[in-house]
Amino acid sequence: MTGTPEDRPALRDVPADWPVTETLTRFTGHKTSVRTDRVRMPDGTVAGRDYLVHPGSVAVIALDDEDRVTVVRQYRHPVRRELWEAPAGLLDVPGENPLHAAQRELYEEAHVKAEDWRVLTDLYSSPGGTDEAVRVFLARNLSDAEGDRYAVGEEEAHMLHARVPVDELVRAALAGEIQNAFLVLGVLALTAARAGDGLDALRPADAPWPARPFH
């Protein structure tokens, strides 16, 4: 199959559900679990697929009036790094509205609120190994949140906070100096949206999300 529009399927991910002949949950944690499915392929063969079952996540590219993005630096033990990241977090409640979750994370991690919210992009973080779906929001018209800062603990108690110009983040992403997927993808998507139809053409904050339906 060639890549020309005339002879390829529509450029859109499509639902598919190959038969599962057996499922085994190997580990159950506080928020995630590890599962093995025996999947029947179209040719009839059956193969095992191990993956992390994940509730889903949201991330926020919070853009201020000086073209700076709110970022945090947090220790991530699996990779033994302190990573610059966009404020982000889990969808803790099944069916939770992702916008509400994003607003909560922006408040808790950065003590910031925003008046204008749009969907920047949706993704699967690593579809060969987890079912984690992620919605990345663009937040604008920022201001400081009212009241005291949210009380944090563990790694979050040692976070650094900054506002960094978009062009500096793009340069750092392309140089491999920042490697958090949500931040890298978010700032590059922001740049691409500006070069295309503009930020006001992005999907509304309540746009449907089939990967994680919400109330």
Side-chain angles (χ1 to χ4, degrees), residues 73-85 154-156 158 180:
R73 198 177 78 182
Q74 183 174 358
Y75 176 65
R76 294 301 189 181
H77 185 72
V79 297
R80 308 301 199 274
R81 295 286 190 277
E82 291 187 14
L83 301 181
W84 285 108
E85 304 181 348
E154 300 179 343
E155 292 96 339
E156 291 184 351
H158 305 280
N180 174 265

Side-chain angles (χ1 to χ4, degrees), residues 73-164:
R73 198 177 78 182
Q74 183 174 358
Y75 176 65
R76 294 301 189 181
H77 185 72
V79 297
R80 308 301 199 274
R81 295 286 190 277
E82 291 187 14
L83 301 181
W84 285 108
E85 304 181 348
L90 301 178
L91 291 168
D92 294 313
V93 180
E96 182 177 18
N97 187 309
L99 173 60
H100 298 166
Q103 291 169 332
R104 180 187 67 233
E105 294 301 330
L106 185 60
Y107 160 70
E108 291 182 358
E109 294 194 357
H111 200 64
V112 168
K113 65 180 181 179
E115 298 301 324
D116 186 272
W117 290 83
R118 296 173 189 271
V119 176
L120 190 51
T121 191
D122 297 326
L123 68 141
Y124 291 106
S125 62
S126 182
T130 177
D131 68 348
E132 180 185 16
V134 184
R135 172 155 280 189
V136 182
F137 288 91
L138 173 66
R140 295 183 292 176
N141 297 342
L142 308 184
S143 61
D144 292 336
E146 292 91 358
D148 296 331
R149 279 189 171 271
Y150 179 78
V152 296
E154 300 179 343
E155 292 96 339
E156 291 184 351
H158 305 280
M159 276 184 177
L160 297 180
H161 299 79
R163 290 192 180 185
V164 181

Side-chain angles (χ1 to χ4, degrees), residues 17 28 47 207:
D17 194 4
T28 300

